[in-house]
């Protein structure tokens, strides 16, 4: 009944489409990454570079930067598709709507979360974070950034029809991001202090499982409403 | 002057003149750099404080000078291109940026390598170091902007504005060691003054001249390539291409027969 | 107002879906309010294979609003739309598999080339036609522009990319909102030809326009709004 | 003068004014001295100095360097020839560290007025010469070169 | 010769227009402000709320947040006008182009710099910044934020024709922002240490005078080039 | 190709600016390249009071590019455009004071009401006409929509707001890129009436279009691209 390609085929096509699109706007691919690096470098400039102060700040700065860079790249998720009418075309694709949202969230993560993961160790070294904390930082980022993308998708889907609802988006999404931030930064902090991090990681894992199962449905429903 | 700019600004004229110039400049460059390296690394004495580490100077200082000089030259060329619409100036500006960025990068790296043993740190946020880092960012921004436009003319004009605005950074780099008390050492060489002993000064100056010429060589080569690329639809380039193709054909023919 | 609707089944019946005798697209008692204004109400529509419905009316009369409702992109304030007897909200995927919509905003991505635009549209569509992408681009007069980013095309050329989408997919129902916008006389004829062929092959089309549509051997239903 | 000319003149005047103001303010700023580090005399004026991370710059006082038995911890005095501040540092020192040399120490003042350094950087001057020449100079003038130069200018002139 | 309203009249109309537009999109007005608050509040969350650590961070965090919020609201400066064709209309107004840019930069400052100025004391108190430093913070913000808007205008004007050049914009604008950040945060830091701040403020003032006189021309030229 | 240009002064001469005998808008030897394609070259144009120049040509032939060059929004790859004898780059402000441009993208702000849109356009324009804003909105058929945000208007209604801009300002030269887009038959007649009146009052207009423009008592110059 549904298209020849099937659900997974459509998902693949959509992801390929968005990645290709991102590639065409190379600037945009680098956006979250550059932003991340910039935020992290601004701190030594603004604070003065005392190594022991920086080390204390490192988990907070890194996680706040990751969160901000995820949040700021959210808006682009549907914006251009909405503006040029492609979003209507996507909504008329003979596949469940959550597929679209899932593809978007995945691409967002591939472009904003994954590069962060790769770059974070370098920046962490730069901020004098001890080695064992860096491993934990990576694990928390790996668990936490997909949650940011998924929850973010709900927020953007709700605000896509509104003209540039930047703040609105932040206000919707941020309260839901804070647990991720606290757990993420907390885990790194504990690791740097040589404490156990199991509980923090469990909670992050739970958040991820929750987000993966529920966010696409919620975001799909939101999308259909707000495009009207 | 005006006439000269226009004459030299004509791509075809430039191409033929620069073609004749290039081998001479390249030869001089190799000569100077080899000589400078020999004098600097082998015959010149070690410093009374820094010992052998001082030899980093013969790379660091010439590339630092180049990094600033090239930026200024790029900004001037960009301004000329913007105001008088001279294609060659646009090309010179565009082509200079990556070269300048490389010298800036070399300055930063050699400075860091030198800083670790001398100062005890790879990096400090002092005024000289920070402003040099900003110079690298400015180069990168210029290159990025240049490549973001599809239309070459727009790219040249837009990035010219950036190059001109960014030029304020150069005097800041140069005077930073006087204006602020930095970790970086103060000026050793000025107009008519030097606190570097002659035995070290000569190799340094020779290396500096060699690096300047190195820039000129790379600049000429890349500009020539770019001129060909941009003028590929013009008659003189096609003739040139045909001539070259003919020559190749002739040569390969000889080999096979 | 258009023709009115015959009895249609309340419950979903799998057999009905294949029943080609019954009008494929029907709408009962549609109403639409925008802001505080009632654009239309009590509107009944039925559209069958081989028919072209022209939605006409002055600026602001609600043509776009109606087309979007009929596609399921907007909800009517009253009434239901059915596709082969099923409410389109319930049979969304089956409906979308047979539908192509061409709006004011035509959804051509400026960063993709015309070819890539078509490729994606085809891969996502329900059923794909046998026409190759290159042929489709040739047909709409974009030969030679396959590989330029669509953003560098002229207004009319971008519009033609959107038209080519209709050729590479095999939707039964075309919904077109002012398809002649930005097209030159050649382009207008192209659309008319496309419509004729589509209807001759048993397709149907809903078109809003301010222009005369010069198609031959086609059954035209006119729906005048206000 | 046409209105157009008058307007153009006004713009030029405004630009000159703006650039002039900028230049004046810049010059004003450089009459003072912005600090990358504080000299020992300045350190006395820093409020709540013991709560803050600071940089202390000056010359290592002649004869003040003492190493503890662990071989890592170093005690020395940093001076600007007016005041001196005792410094304790544990760690590896840069090659250039020696008595009479310029240094910049990063750390904080403890309640006894001792500067606990986390990091000690060496600052050298702009003179480059072979060791023999330096020796000759020293012989002739009695001064090692680095004392005679601007190396600690910023730290000293306040 | 030029329009009945003259240069100043046109400037007034343009500013009124942009303010009204912002008012219509209330979300947008609050955008930079909310972002500023968010960044500042995320730190205690990410770092834990130790007062003396916070106090040490305060100048840096406040200035980094101000800088980021200015930078992120830059893109909106010409974006919607470019998309809907209004920018072309503005470029055909019979007034010097720098008027348009000046109006845009001013509005940007009124919407992003000024509210920050009003809110900064509260956030500063919250981060336990001493009172005398708060005054200096306000002065530096008052001098520095207009510079951010003016320099930013050059960057946006250069990138307006490019599709969403977010990173590109950061890359262009940030190097020019760093001096403002260093002087701004440096002054607050010195004030908190009870040192003189005259030199820092002089330099900020010089930057401002420089930016006011030259940025509108540069940005005007950039705008005409990149709209083509 | 249009008529060609008579001798025109090389140097700026203040007397020429007021010289109404000479063609107001002239272009010599214009050329335009986009990407690697040469759209046109050696184009000469001269346009005088009371004349309507129609720029015609298939999609992608360079109509929009030409109009933007003539407005000074884009730079030609060769050639100069003069307004009353001065190069438009040099006399930008004087030229803009007498120019109104209506592009594909009509520059109506969706967040403003039609009334506000007009108000701002009038306040920024060089010379203002005696027509009140309300009258202008009435004339273009938007009575009753003065206070709705333009974003809630239909495509044709938004276009009409842009047309009203021409009524509240007093430009001598109208440059219109496909002004009939999205308009119903009423709207098309409205534009034609507006053009007739404008030209009768000694204005001039440059219009690109794919439609026939039915104006009477007007001297039409046709410029066919490619
Ligand atoms: C990353 C670190 C460094 C950077 C970015 C840097 C940058 C620069 C720049 C831009 C110049 C040219 C300034 C001018 O022409 O006046 C320069 C000159 C110089 N630098 Fe560095 N430098 C660094 C580290 C060092 C170190 C560690 C030393 C020595 C220990 C050093 C010694 C010199 C000398 C001797 C000069 C020539 C001074 C003169 O022109 O009079 N630099 N440096
Ligand atoms: N930004 C651009 N970069 C490169 N080429 C472009 C760009 N914009 C337009 N072109 C090319 O210029 C040609 C003419 O475009 P233009 O918009 O002037 O055509 P037009 O005559 O207005 O067409 P239409 O009737 O479709 O509006 C097109 O073939 C297009 O591919
Ligand atoms: N988002 C909205 N909010 C409120 N009212 C709206 C909205 N969109 C459209 N309208 C109103 O609905 C009416 C019909 O709009 P619609 O776009 O359907 O007209 P149309 O017949 O397509 O006109 P056109 O021929 O100009 O395209 C208009 O009068 C408009 O004011
Ligand atoms: Mg419509
Ligand atoms: Mg066009």
């Amino acid at each position: 009944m549904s298209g020849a390609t099937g659900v997974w085929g459509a998902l693949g096509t959509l992801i390929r489409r968005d990645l290709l699109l991102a590639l065409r706007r190379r600037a945009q691919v680098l956006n979250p990454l550059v932003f991340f690096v910039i935020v992290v470098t601004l701190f030594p400039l603004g604070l003065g570079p005392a190594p022991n102060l920086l080390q204390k700040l490192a988990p907070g700065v890194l996680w706040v930067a990751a969160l901000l860079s995820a949040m700021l790249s959210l808006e682009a998720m549907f914006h251009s598709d909405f503006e040029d009418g492609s979003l209507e075309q996507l909504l008329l694709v003979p596949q469940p709507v959550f597929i679209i949202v899932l593809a978007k969230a995945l691409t967002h993560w591939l472009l904003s979360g994954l590069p962060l993961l790769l770059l974070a160790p370098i920046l962490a070294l730069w901020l004098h974070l001890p080695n064992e904390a860096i491993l934990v930082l990576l694990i928390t980022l790996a668990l936490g950034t997909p949650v940011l993308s998924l929850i973010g998708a709900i927020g953007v889907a709700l605000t896509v029809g509104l003209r540039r609802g930047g703040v609105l988006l932040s206000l919707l999404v941020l309260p839901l991001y804070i647990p991720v931030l606290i757990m993420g930064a907390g885990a790194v902090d504990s690791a740097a202090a040589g404490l156990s991090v199991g509980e923090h990681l469990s909670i992050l894992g739970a958040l991820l499982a929750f987000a993966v199962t529920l966010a696409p449905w919620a975001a799909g429903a939101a999308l259909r409403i707000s495009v009207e | 002057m005006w006439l000269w700019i226009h004459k030299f600004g004509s791509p075809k004229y430039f191409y033929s003149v620069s073609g004749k110039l290039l081998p001479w400049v390249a030869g001089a460059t190799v000569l100077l750099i080899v000589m400078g390296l020999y004098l600097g690394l082998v015959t010149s004495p070690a410093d009374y404080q820094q010992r052998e580490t001082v030899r980093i100077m013969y790379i660091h200082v010439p590339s630092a000078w180049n990094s600033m000089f090239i930026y200024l030259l790029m900004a001037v060329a960009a301004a000329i291109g913007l105001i008088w619409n001279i294609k060659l100036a646009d090309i010179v500006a565009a082509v200079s940026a990556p070269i300048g960025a490389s010298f800036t990068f070399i300055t930063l790296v050699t400075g860091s390598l030198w800083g670790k043993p001398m100062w005890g740190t790879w990096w400090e946020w002092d005024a000289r170091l920070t402003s040099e880092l900003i110079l690298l960012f400015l180069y990168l921004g210029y290159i990025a902007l240049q490549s973001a436009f599809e239309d070459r003319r727009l790219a040249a004009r837009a990035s010219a504005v950036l190059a001109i605005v960014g030029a304020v950074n150069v005097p800041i780099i140069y005077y930073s060691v006087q204006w602020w008390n930095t970790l970086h050492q103060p000026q050793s060489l000025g107009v008519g003054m030097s606190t570097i002993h002659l035995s070290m000064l000569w190799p340094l100056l020779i290396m500096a001249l060699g690096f300047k010429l190195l820039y000129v060589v790379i600049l000429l080569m890349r500009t020539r390539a770019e001129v060909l690329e941009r003028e590929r639809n013009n008659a003189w380039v096609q003739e040139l291409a045909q001539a070259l193709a003919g020559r190749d054909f002739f040569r390969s023919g000889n080999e096979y027969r | 107002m258009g023709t009115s609707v015959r009895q249609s089944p309340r419950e979903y019946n799998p057999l009905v879906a294949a029943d080609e005798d019954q009008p494929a697209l029907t709408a009962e008692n549609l109403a639409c309010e925008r802001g505080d204004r009632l654009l239309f109400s009590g509107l009944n529509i039925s559209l069958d294979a081989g028919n072209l419905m022209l939605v006409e009316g002055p600026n602001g009369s609600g043509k776009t609003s109606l087309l979007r409702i009929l596609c399921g992109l907007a909800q009517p304030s009253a009434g239901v739309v059915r596709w082969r007897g099923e409410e389109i909200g319930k049979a969304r995927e089956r409906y979308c598999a047979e539908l192509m919509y061409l709006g004011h905003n035509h959804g051509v991505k400026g960063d993709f080339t015309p070819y890539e635009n078509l490729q994606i549209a085809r891969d996502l569509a329900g059923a794909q036609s046998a026409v190759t992408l290159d042929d489709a681009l040739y047909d709409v007069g974009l030969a030679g522009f396959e590989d330029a980013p669509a953003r560098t095309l002229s207004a009319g050329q971008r519009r033609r990319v959107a038209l080519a989408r209709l050729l590479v997919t095999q939707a039964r129902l075309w919904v077109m909102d002012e398809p002649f916008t930005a097209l030159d006389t050649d382009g207008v004829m192209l659309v008319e030809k496309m419509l004729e062929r589509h209807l001759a092959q048993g397709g149907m089309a809903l078109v809003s326009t301010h222009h005369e549509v010069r198609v031959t051997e086609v059954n035209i239903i006119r729906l005048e709004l206000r | 003068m046409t209105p157009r000319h008058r307007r153009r003149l006004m713009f030029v005047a405004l630009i000159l004014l703006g650039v002039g103001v900028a230049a004046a303010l810049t010059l004003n700023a450089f009459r003072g001295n912005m600090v990358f580090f504080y000299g020992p005399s300045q350190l006395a004026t820093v409020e709540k100095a013991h709560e803050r991370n600071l940089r202390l710059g000056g010359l290592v006082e002649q004869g003040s360097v003492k190493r503890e038995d662990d071989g890592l911890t170093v005690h020395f005095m940093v001076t600007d020839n007016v005041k001196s501040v005792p410094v304790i540092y544990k760690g590896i020192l840069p090659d250039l560290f020696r008595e009479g040399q310029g240094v910049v120490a990063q750390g904080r003042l403890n309640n006894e007025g001792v500067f606990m350094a986390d990091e000690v950087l060496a600052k050298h001057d702009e003179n480059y010469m072979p060791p023999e020449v330096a020796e000759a100079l020293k012989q002739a003038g009695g001064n090692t070169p680095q004392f005679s130069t601007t190396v600690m200018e910023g730290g000293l002139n306040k």
Side-chain angles (χ1 to χ4, degrees), chain C residues 34 57 65 119 169 176 182 199 214 218:
Chain C
R34 300 302 307 248
S65 307
Q119 197 170 29
T169 56
M176 305 164 97
L199 296 173
R214 285 155 305 177
V218 162

Side-chain angles (χ1 to χ4, degrees), chain C:
Chain C
M1 219 106 323
T3 56
S4 81
V5 158
R6 278 147 299 253
Q7 201 55 29
S8 72
R10 288 277 144 208
E11 303 289 11
Y12 169 59
N13 174 348
L15 288 180
V16 174
D19 177 1
E20 296 276 329
D21 285 345
Q22 175 204 31
L25 182 73
T26 61
E28 288 165 40
N29 197 25
L30 280 192
C32 173
E33 284 173 64
R34 300 302 307 248
D36 279 344
R37 292 176 54 222
L38 181 67
L39 293 181
F40 50 80
S41 65
L43 197 64
N44 293 313
I45 286 176
S46 94
L47 185 63
D48 235 342
N51 286 354
L52 167 66
M53 178 173 284
L54 289 184
V55 182
E56 291 168 340
N59 289 140
S61 55
K63 300 180 293 299
T64 301
S65 307
L66 175 62
L67 294 189
R68 288 175 58 90
I69 289 173
L70 291 176
C71 286
L73 285 170
Q75 301 302 313
S77 9
V80 286
V81 182
R82 290 177 208 280
W83 176 249
R84 302 203 191 287
E86 297 175 289
E87 274 189 36
I88 57 169
K90 302 217 175 93
R92 190 185 146 270
E93 287 162 43
R94 276 184 298 275
Y95 183 37
C96 289
E98 303 194 68
L99 170 73
M100 282 298 281
Y101 171 68
L102 179 65
H104 274 302
N105 240 347
H106 40 55
V108 171
K109 295 253 47 115
D111 286 326
F112 283 149
T113 64
Y115 191 90
E116 289 163 335
N117 266 298
L118 281 197
Q119 197 170 29
I120 286 160
R122 193 193 53 186
D123 288 354
L124 290 174
Q128 306 166 0
S129 82
V131 181
T132 68
L133 303 183
D134 281 316
D135 286 349
L137 285 174
Y138 180 85
D139 287 349
V140 297
L142 287 176
F145 291 93
E146 293 89 351
D147 296 329
R151 124 180 65 87
T152 67
L153 298 182
S154 80
Q157 289 170 325
R158 277 201 299 275
R159 191 93 204 164
R160 285 163 187 255
V161 179
L163 287 173
R165 260 199 320 245
L166 298 172
L167 297 178
V168 297
T169 56
Q170 242 185 354
R172 294 294 300 278
L173 174 61
W174 289 0
V175 178
M176 305 164 97
D177 199 358
E178 304 198 21
F180 301 124
T181 304
L183 293 179
D184 56 16
T185 37
D186 256 25
V188 171
M189 269 169 53
L190 167 74
V191 174
E192 288 163 351
K193 282 273 142 54
M194 282 172 59
L195 279 172
E196 273 175 12
R197 183 134 23 109
H198 179 61
L199 296 173
Q201 292 168 353
M204 51 202 114
L206 254 163
V207 175
S208 88
T209 178
H210 300 298
H211 298 267
E212 204 37 59
V213 183
R214 285 155 305 177
V215 283
T216 51
E217 302 179 35
V218 162
N219 183 18
I220 296 187
I221 309 170
R222 280 171 202 278
L223 179 68
E224 190 72 39
L225 287 179
R226 227 200 326 139

Side-chain angles (χ1 to χ4, degrees), chain A residues 63-79:
Chain A
W63 255 101
V64 169
L67 194 148
L68 290 177
S69 92
M71 198 172 78
L72 291 170
S73 48
L74 278 181
E75 233 184 311
M77 206 188 262
F78 294 114
H79 183 257

Side-chain angles (χ1 to χ4, degrees), chain B:
Chain B
M1 168 73 183
W2 178 240
L3 266 177
W4 182 81
I5 288 185
H6 264 274
K7 190 165 177 212
F8 202 69
S10 120
K12 187 180 172 191
Y13 183 76
F14 167 82
Y15 192 85
S16 67
V17 168
S18 64
K20 292 188 192 105
L21 221 56
L22 197 52
W24 298 99
V25 186
T29 308
V30 173
L31 201 70
L32 282 172
I33 291 186
V34 168
M35 195 160 95
L37 281 178
Y38 178 74
L39 291 178
L41 300 186
V42 181
T43 65
S44 79
D47 182 51
Y48 76 108
Q49 301 191 68
Q50 304 193 5
R51 311 289 168 215
E52 299 295 332
T53 324
V54 76
R55 304 195 189 280
I56 298 180
M57 176 168 77
Y58 304 114
I59 305 287
H60 172 78
V61 177
S63 38
W65 287 341
N66 263 10
S67 70
M68 297 186 295
F69 171 78
I70 295 175
Y71 193 95
L72 284 183
L73 196 133
M74 177 182 94
V76 169
I80 291 176
L82 184 65
I83 297 167
W84 290 304
N85 224 334
I86 294 175
K87 270 192 211 161
L88 188 63
D90 287 343
I91 298 178
V92 166
V95 156
S96 290
I99 312 176
S102 315
F103 281 116
T104 312
F105 188 72
I106 294 176
T107 308
L108 288 166
V109 170
T110 52
S112 285
L113 289 176
W114 201 359
K116 186 62 184 171
M118 287 304 107
W119 302 338
T121 179
W122 301 104
W123 186 258
E124 260 322 303
W125 294 100
D126 92 335
R128 166 61 62 84
L129 275 53
T130 308
S131 54
E132 181 77 0
L133 183 64
I134 290 178
L135 185 70
L136 181 67
F137 288 160
L138 286 173
Y139 273 122
L140 293 181
Y142 181 93
I143 294 168
L145 189 65
Q146 183 85 219
S147 63
F149 282 91
E150 270 151 40
D151 187 320
R152 286 219 181 86
R153 206 170 36 129
L154 291 187
R157 290 162 64 194
S159 46
V161 175
L162 183 73
I164 294 165
V165 169
V168 285
N169 187 43
V170 174
I172 295 180
I173 302 177
Y174 189 77
Y175 290 111
S176 54
V177 287
Q178 293 177 26
W179 290 345
W180 294 284
N181 61 19
T182 49
L183 186 62
H184 194 279
Q185 66 155 72
Q187 203 91 349
S188 293
L189 277 174
V191 186
M193 79 87 163
S194 159
T195 57
I196 301 179
H197 193 265
L198 273 184
S199 58
M200 302 170 165
L201 188 59
W202 274 115
L204 179 61
L205 292 182
I206 289 172
M207 277 303 275
L209 192 60
F211 268 48
K212 282 280 176 322
L213 288 186
L214 178 62
Y215 162 61
V216 173
V217 170
I218 304 176
L219 178 72
L220 286 181
M221 278 167 34
R222 298 208 43 195
T223 307
R224 283 162 60 81
E226 194 70 23
V227 163
L228 284 189
E229 160 79 20
R230 293 195 187 186
E231 305 276 313
R232 65 182 177 281
N233 293 331
N234 282 11
W236 69 270
V237 177
Q238 309 216 322
E239 276 164 28
L240 197 72
Q242 261 157 20
L244 281 179
R247 208 171 64 192
D248 276 354
F249 176 71
F250 188 63
R251 194 193 299 143
S252 60
N254 268 351
E255 278 166 17
Y256 282 102
R257 242 162 253 160

